[in-house]
Amino acid sequence: MNSTWFRRFTTASGDGPRLVCFPHAGGSATAFKDLAHRLPATFDVVAVQYPGRQDRYAETPYTALLPLVEAVAGELARELAADPGRPYALFGHSMGALVAFETARLLARGELPDPQRLFLSGRGGPETDSLPYHLYDDTDVLADVRRLGGTDQAMLADPDLLELVLPALRADYRALGTYRWCGGEPLAAPVTALTGDSDPMMTVEDAHTWRAHTTGDFAVKVFSGGHFYLFDHLEGVAAAVTEGLLSEAAVS
């Protein structure tokens, strides 16, 4: 796969379904490294590397969500078309859930088959969050990151490391703040919504709002914990993904 946009953390790609993972705001592809190793070896698990972080640090990060979606979807469509017999699914956490959802909507306009399933984690439907993140200054952004957890707090206290992560955080928060849901037809692909039961960013009820965005099967998986519950429940999340993909394979 395109080594600029996608990372594979297993030693080889399995011949089963491909799972494409989309990171949270300020996050990188490595957020899914541990999950990749807990999924069946037959899966081909890849993670999206957005510009402006880690080995793409020198690139300008996107400050609007839909141009990012267009770039990711274009690269992904080429990869999927090159391997037409392989089913695929999308997994996104927090901002990544929104990017995955909009990517699926854009891909649906083309000739590619629908994903087997979307796994949308740590965020309610696109209409549920309209905070003015684009108006946040650095102090506001860092306070929100600390509130949500999931980021090494020592890193946030180190001026040199902070200088490395702030550009991507600023850009991602601006992209989230300027995003507006304008409506649209629901996807045909089934959806599994995943959430922590004490997430300060969303409620369990918010997870159920994804029901309106699919005409297919819908499920909600609730785990104990906050916004980054998945790092504490990798086995459970891997089981939910495996169950969702294998159940769809059995149906098809």
Side-chain angles (χ1 to χ4, degrees):
M1 296 192 74
N2 184 319
S3 60
T4 299
W5 281 92
F6 304 104
R7 301 288 179 274
R8 183 182 284 118
F9 298 111
T10 52
T11 55
S13 61
D15 57 5
R18 174 172 289 151
L19 181 70
V20 184
C21 303
F22 296 75
H24 56 280
S28 62
T30 51
F32 295 101
K33 181 177 181 179
D34 290 340
L35 179 62
H37 287 286
R38 284 168 171 80
L39 287 163
T42 54
F43 289 7
D44 180 26
V45 185
V46 296
V48 178
Q49 186 77 302
Y50 306 138
R53 55 217 80 199
Q54 292 187 332
D55 55 341
R56 301 190 72 183
Y57 178 76
E59 300 178 49
T60 302
Y62 284 85
T63 56
L65 193 123
L66 294 184
L68 171 61
V69 168
E70 290 171 0
V72 173
E75 295 294 336
L76 183 56
R78 279 187 281 274
E79 298 292 347
L80 296 174
D83 195 1
R86 186 195 293 268
Y88 70 99
L90 308 181
F91 186 113
H93 179 67
S94 196
M95 183 185 87
L98 195 55
V99 179
F101 170 69
E102 288 288 2
T103 296
R105 294 182 71 220
L106 192 54
L107 291 175
R109 300 175 194 170
E111 298 179 357
L112 290 168
D114 292 329
Q116 267 197 299
R117 183 171 285 268
L118 271 68
F119 299 91
L120 304 174
S121 166
R123 184 187 170 91
E127 72 282 7
T128 60
D129 189 2
S130 58
L131 291 175
Y133 295 115
H134 57 299
L135 300 180
Y136 283 19
D137 61 18
D138 288 353
T139 300
D140 296 326
V141 169
L142 291 174
D144 198 54
V145 170
R146 291 187 178 98
R147 178 178 70 96
L148 296 176
T151 300
D152 186 345
Q153 300 300 308
M155 181 180 70
L156 298 180
D158 185 317
D160 293 330
L161 293 176
L162 195 56
E163 186 177 351
L164 295 176
V165 300
L166 262 176
L169 277 169
R170 289 189 196 108
D172 290 351
Y173 270 67
R174 180 166 182 80
L176 286 169
T178 54
Y179 172 83
R180 296 292 179 270
W181 170 244
C182 297
E185 293 297 315
L187 295 169
V191 169
T192 296
L194 305 94
T195 185
D197 60 5
S198 56
D199 189 335
M201 185 176 166
M202 64 176 290
T203 65
V204 173
E205 289 72 22
D206 288 335
H208 286 269
T209 61
W210 286 112
R211 164 75 275 186
H213 297 282
T214 177
T215 59
D217 177 63
F218 179 72
V220 173
K221 302 290 185 181
V222 181
F223 297 86
S224 62
H227 190 60
F228 288 97
Y229 72 89
L230 68 171
F231 297 139
D232 296 322
H233 295 282
L234 288 169
E235 298 293 346
V237 173
V241 171
T242 302
E243 176 189 3
L245 288 184
L246 295 185
S247 65
E248 289 306 310
V251 170
S252 59

